Each structure stands twice: as C-alpha cells, then as structure tokens.
Amino acid sequence: MAGRACGVAVCLLLAVGGVGGCATPAERRDDVRDAAAAFQAALGAEAYDRVCAVLAPGTVEELEGSAGSPCEEALRAQSPVPGGAVRRTDVYGNQARAVLSTDTLFLSRFASGWKVVAADCEPRPQEPYECRIKGG
C-alpha cells in the first residue's frame, strides 16, 4: 500500500509540474491525436502562426535557418499540403507517430505538450522517412 501511495504522490507531482508522466497510454494517444489534428487544422487554414506554435523548437529553428526567414514565411513559401485525418497514433514514451490519410507526423513530448518534430513525410522502403519539415 505504501508503494501505491508513493506512486500516486509522484503522479500528482508530475501532473502539477505539467510533465504528465502518469497519463495512460490511451490518454497519450489522444493527446498526440489532438496535437496532430491542431497542426492539420492550422495548416488547412493557412494559419502559419498556429502551425509554428505546434512545431517543436528545433524544427522551427531548422525551418527558419534553412529558409532565412521567420517560421511563418518559411512555411508559406513551402506551401505544405494538409495530410488529412489522423488514422492512427503510435506512442513510445516521449516520442510518437501520427499516421494521417496522406502524411505521417513525428512528435515529441515537451513540458508544454506534444509538438511536431517532423511533417510532410514520405515512407521509403528499407530507409527512414523523408520529411520536408524537420528539426536539425
């Protein structure tokens, strides 16, 4: 019983701290699905400021560095196409994959929630995905 009480205390501490380490697998998948859907909705509306807000910091940095312009302008120039509805999510600790109708997103969990690390990704047989939007 003491071990269970300690686990609850740790869970409460993590929840208050915003890390969310005690979320159930279903809750983590739902959170990933929500982040992917927010990314897709912002992309579909061409609300690039909102798209950039869902991107991981390293991805924003790479996008801005390679384009030589702010995130919103870099995305506008790339004109990424929305990937459609989220069909499946796979969560592995702090990393996740969201498979969409025509795209695959890769996400990481940060203190502020799930962020898109890579998007506009194409699978390649026997090789890693090729992603047009990605961190360094």
Side-chain angles (χ1 to χ4, degrees):
M1 190 69 153
R4 188 163 200 267
C6 181
V8 171
V10 169
C11 228
L12 289 174
L13 179 62
L14 289 172
V16 170
V19 177
C22 294
T24 68
E27 289 170 331
R28 288 195 314 266
R29 283 191 303 272
D30 289 347
D31 291 344
V32 168
R33 185 177 349 285
D34 291 346
F39 179 83
Q40 291 301 305
L43 197 55
E46 297 183 3
Y48 296 121
D49 58 330
R50 291 190 349 237
V51 175
C52 292
V54 183
L55 290 174
T59 305
V60 171
E61 184 178 302
E62 177 71 24
L63 190 60
E64 291 178 338
S66 64
S69 59
C71 182
E72 294 88 352
E73 289 177 28
L75 285 171
R76 190 171 288 108
Q78 276 192 350
S79 300
V81 177
V86 179
R87 294 183 176 221
R88 186 178 80 236
T89 59
D90 303 306
V91 181
Y92 308 96
N94 291 326
Q95 306 298 312
R97 177 179 71 161
V99 179
L100 312 176
S101 300
T102 61
D103 193 5
T104 300
L105 306 178
F106 294 92
L107 301 94
S108 290
R109 188 171 61 187
F110 292 83
S112 59
W114 288 95
K115 300 285 186 177
V116 175
V117 175
D120 202 2
C121 299
E122 292 288 328
R124 300 182 302 170
Q126 309 293 334
E127 294 185 42
Y129 280 79
E130 179 68 35
C131 300
R132 289 183 54 217
I133 299 171
K134 61 184 182 279

